[in-house]
């Protein structure tokens, strides 16, 4: 069964950092675009960042641009999302996804993504 597994979430204070990881089970990510989405309590799932299969194109939502960084290590078959300068509005469940479209308006491509993880909780609170 092909699935993704996220890890690295937790409870942090405003201003702190986390690094989320996403690893697949049963397949390799090397040839797929990958993305991170977030769902805050009571809100719809939103696209945060994505990267094409060759790493040549990345996209960030305005809400995280300059604070979050997506990266991939094909040797480790893992995708990362570095979260810096976290604030309480960043609280939510973070999901990684693979094999979809990557570009401006990532929210519109949510339903295109084929593989999803179950999410990892990030809570930012003082």
């Amino acid at each position: 069964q092909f699935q993704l597994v996220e890890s690295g979430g937790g409870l942090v204070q405003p201003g702190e950092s986390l690094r989320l990881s996403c690893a697949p089970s049963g397949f390799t990510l090397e040839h797929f675009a990958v993305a991170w989405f977030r769902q805050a309590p009571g809100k719809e799932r939103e696209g945060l960042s994505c990267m094409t299969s060759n790493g040549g194109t990345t996209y960030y939502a305005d809400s995280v641009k300059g604070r979050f960084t997506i990266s991939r290590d094909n040797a480790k078959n893992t995708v990362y999302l570095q979260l810096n300068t976290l604030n309480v509005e960043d609280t939510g469940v973070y999901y990684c996804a693979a094999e979809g479209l990557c570009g401006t308006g990532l929210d519109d491509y949510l339903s295109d993504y084929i593989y999803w993880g179950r999410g990892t909780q990030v809570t930012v609170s003082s």
Side-chain angles (χ1 to χ4, degrees):
Q1 183 177 359
F2 296 166
Q3 62 181 5
L4 298 170
V5 180
E6 303 95 338
S7 61
L11 171 63
V12 296
Q13 294 186 342
E16 294 185 337
S17 300
L18 284 172
R19 188 176 80 157
L20 307 183
S21 300
C22 171
S25 174
F27 67 104
T28 60
L29 288 172
E30 183 175 5
H31 303 295
F32 298 145
V34 291
W36 286 93
F37 294 83
R38 174 176 70 198
Q39 188 157 19
K43 295 186 177 180
E44 294 185 353
R45 197 170 298 188
E46 62 172 326
L48 300 179
S49 180
C50 60
M51 176 179 282
T52 52
S53 58
N54 63 4
T57 298
T58 57
Y59 162 82
Y60 296 94
D62 288 342
S63 59
V64 304
K65 195 174 298 181
R67 300 189 300 122
F68 292 7
T69 303
I70 190 171
S71 62
R72 63 194 304 162
D73 185 336
N74 287 337
K76 294 183 178 181
N77 201 22
T78 301
V79 175
Y80 304 98
L81 187 67
Q82 178 68 40
L83 286 59
N84 294 332
T85 320
L86 285 161
N87 56 59
V88 294
E89 289 77 27
D90 294 316
T91 294
V93 180
Y94 285 66
Y95 300 89
C96 68
E99 195 171 6
L101 298 177
C102 177
T104 300
L106 180 59
D107 289 348
D108 296 333
Y109 303 146
L110 187 149
S111 61
D112 293 328
Y113 279 82
I114 295 177
Y115 303 111
W116 287 85
R118 294 186 176 184
T120 184
Q121 175 71 43
V122 172
T123 303
V124 185
S125 175
S126 56

